[in-house]
Amino acid sequence: DSASVFCSLSALYEDKGNLDDAIESARRCCHLGTANFDAEDRLSKLLAARGDHREAAAALERAMALQPRRAELHVRLADCRREAGDLMGAIAALQAAVAIDQNLPSSVHQQLKAWLMTCRGDVPTDVPAASPAAAPSVSAADRRREIERRRRELEGQRQDVPLRK
């Protein structure tokens, strides 16, 4: 089918170092096929490699809609959002990852702690501080309200998720 041809072309272009054509082929693969996790996941990786973090986050969100319980996707989404300047979105994505999988590497937990401290205006002592230029220009009270809103939102999502047996 046409979608698989474009997915193969995307991989070929990437192997040849032609990122722009790899992205264009991956986009065509996503648009031609039915909801395709692998195609959206691939597109998100290519866009992030090119530095298009907002678009990469959007592609990741489409992939996550198909497989929402994959914690590593939430971690990648957090990275994309942070790189795009959305610290609050990054925090929400890491919180979702931790809610899905408590056994994530300690580096994920440390990053979440550092970002939360940055939002509160604290300087983390055990994790390198984030660059002030990358942090959104939002008041501390607004940041705390947004964190609380997202925490409540995540808690609501956890209640809707069936327990594994």
Side-chain angles (χ1 to χ4, degrees), residues 105-158:
S106 63
S107 60
V108 172
H109 295 273
Q110 289 174 342
Q111 186 65 66
L112 178 57
K113 177 183 174 186
W115 287 348
L116 287 168
M117 291 176 77
T118 299
C119 282
R120 287 192 307 258
D122 299 337
V123 177
T125 56
D126 58 343
V127 180
S131 126
S137 59
V138 180
S139 74
D142 287 340
R143 289 189 296 253
R144 283 191 293 275
R145 279 193 293 274
E146 180 64 14
I147 290 170
E148 183 61 24
R149 183 189 69 75
R150 290 187 185 225
R151 184 189 61 74
R152 286 191 309 271
E153 182 180 289
L154 286 171
E155 285 177 354
Q157 288 174 358
R158 272 189 253 147

Side-chain angles (χ1 to χ4, degrees), residues 1-164:
D1 86 67
S2 297
S4 63
V5 169
F6 281 110
C7 287
S8 297
L9 272 174
S10 176
L12 180 64
Y13 283 132
E14 183 184 16
D15 289 344
K16 297 289 183 187
N18 188 339
L19 198 53
D20 291 335
D21 286 338
I23 289 170
E24 182 57 33
S25 294
R27 278 191 175 121
R28 288 185 180 190
C29 179
C30 292
H31 292 296
L32 287 174
T34 57
N36 183 335
F37 169 81
D38 292 326
E40 294 290 354
D41 184 47
R42 175 172 189 60
L43 178 60
S44 74
K45 289 175 184 175
L46 292 167
L47 288 165
R50 189 169 73 181
D52 295 335
H53 298 289
R54 286 189 197 285
E55 285 185 68
L60 253 176
E61 288 168 350
R62 289 188 300 271
M64 289 167 54
L66 300 170
Q67 294 189 18
R69 302 288 303 158
R70 291 186 57 180
E72 72 276 7
L73 297 178
H74 291 271
V75 172
R76 284 187 28 225
L77 179 61
D79 290 337
C80 286
R81 286 179 173 170
R82 177 67 172 121
E83 289 296 322
D86 179 11
L87 183 58
M88 299 308 295
I91 289 170
L94 275 190
Q95 288 173 326
V98 170
I100 291 168
D101 184 357
Q102 292 290 321
N103 297 318
L104 288 168
S106 63
S107 60
V108 172
H109 295 273
Q110 289 174 342
Q111 186 65 66
L112 178 57
K113 177 183 174 186
W115 287 348
L116 287 168
M117 291 176 77
T118 299
C119 282
R120 287 192 307 258
D122 299 337
V123 177
T125 56
D126 58 343
V127 180
S131 126
S137 59
V138 180
S139 74
D142 287 340
R143 289 189 296 253
R144 283 191 293 275
R145 279 193 293 274
E146 180 64 14
I147 290 170
E148 183 61 24
R149 183 189 69 75
R150 290 187 185 225
R151 184 189 61 74
R152 286 191 309 271
E153 182 180 289
L154 286 171
E155 285 177 354
Q157 288 174 358
R158 272 189 253 147
Q159 292 170 358
D160 297 340
V161 177
L163 297 175
R164 293 186 211 159

